Amino acid sequence: MKNLPLLTLLATICVIFAGSSDAIKDKATGIKFADRANGLPVFGVGTRTKGPIKVYSVALYSNKNMKKDLAELSATADKKRALEALLSGAKRGPTTFLLKFNFKVGAEKVSSSITDAISSRFSGSKDVAKLKQILCDGVSEKGTTVKGTTMQFDCSKGGVKVFLDGRNLGYVSSSGLGSAFCGVYLDNKSVSPA
C-alpha cells in the first residue's frame, strides 16, 4: 500500500449536513456509514484504492464550523475550494476519520501507508513513529485487516486517538499531528485529488 493513491473525498458531491437520519453509502464499495460519529455529523465518504482494488472506504466526521465553511461556498465553487474549506474545518477539530476495510491488508503495510502519508506533512518523526507502532501492534494482534475491519482516528489540535474495531489502541499527544492527518485526505498533496 506504499504507493496507494490517497482518498478523494467527493466534496462537491457527497457533502451532507447534520440532521440527516439516513446513513451515507460509499457508492464504489457499497459500505455504509452512520450519519454521526462521536456526536459529529458526516460530511463525506470516499474510497482508497490500489490499482483496481478498493482497499477501504473512509468517512469524514467533523464539527459545525465545517458546515459554515462549506455554506459560504457558492454552488458553482470549484472542487479545490471545497477541499480547502473541508481541510480548514477539519483542522479546527474535532474531526474523526472512520475507515472501513474492504480488503485484507497486513499490519506493516497499513501502518506504513498511513504514517508515510503523514510524515510528508509533519516534522514530528517520533510522534509519527509512535502512531505507526500503535497501528502495527493493534493490527498485528488481530492478525490483519479483513473486510469489515474498522479503524477510527479522532483528530484534534492536541493529537490523534486510534481505535481498531472499536477498541482504543492509544493516543499520540502531539501538536500538529491531527492537522497533518487531516491533510492526508483533504490537502492538495493528495495523490487522487477531487
Side-chain angles (χ1 to χ4, degrees), residues 16-36:
I16 63 173
F17 299 105
S20 170
S21 61
D22 297 330
I24 185 170
K25 181 173 152 181
D26 181 357
K27 291 179 183 178
T29 61
I31 294 173
K32 292 182 182 179
F33 292 88
D35 64 336
R36 298 184 82 73

Side-chain angles (χ1 to χ4, degrees), residues 22-150:
D22 297 330
I24 185 170
K25 181 173 152 181
D26 181 357
K27 291 179 183 178
T29 61
I31 294 173
K32 292 182 182 179
F33 292 88
D35 64 336
R36 298 184 82 73
N38 294 333
L40 302 170
V42 65
F43 280 85
V45 300
T47 305
R48 191 153 181 186
T49 62
K50 179 172 181 162
I53 299 168
K54 297 168 186 150
V55 180
Y56 63 77
S57 293
V58 58
L60 166 66
Y61 297 87
S62 198
N63 60 72
K64 292 181 183 179
N65 292 329
M66 188 183 291
K67 181 178 178 180
K68 182 181 176 226
D69 292 343
L70 291 170
E72 292 174 1
L73 294 175
S74 71
T76 60
D78 64 26
K79 291 177 185 179
K80 181 180 177 186
R81 287 186 53 215
L83 283 172
E84 287 170 356
L86 284 170
L87 180 59
S88 173
K91 283 183 174 182
R92 286 195 303 268
T95 298
T96 293
F97 290 92
L98 179 59
L99 286 59
K100 292 188 177 184
F101 282 79
N102 191 51
F103 193 79
K104 180 179 175 179
V105 182
E108 180 61 33
K109 283 194 179 204
V110 72
S111 60
S112 291
S113 174
I114 291 170
T115 57
D116 286 353
I118 294 168
S119 291
S120 68
R121 293 163 174 82
F122 183 68
S123 61
S125 61
K126 289 181 183 178
D127 299 327
V128 175
K130 184 176 179 183
L131 180 63
K132 181 177 182 177
Q133 193 62 54
I134 288 171
L135 288 169
C136 198
D137 290 348
V139 175
S140 290
E141 285 179 30
K142 180 179 174 77
T144 186
T145 66
V146 295
K147 186 171 183 144
T149 297
T150 62

Side-chain angles (χ1 to χ4, degrees), residues 150-193:
T150 62
M151 201 175 278
Q152 179 175 318
F153 299 90
D154 295 342
C155 303
S156 68
K157 290 181 181 180
V160 176
K161 190 171 189 178
V162 183
F163 297 85
L164 181 66
D165 291 333
R167 185 172 65 95
N168 184 351
L169 296 181
Y171 178 76
V172 179
S173 177
S174 174
S175 177
L177 183 63
S179 179
F181 193 97
C182 292
V184 169
Y185 295 102
L186 299 171
D187 71 15
N188 62 359
K189 290 193 234 176
S190 295
V191 175
S192 300

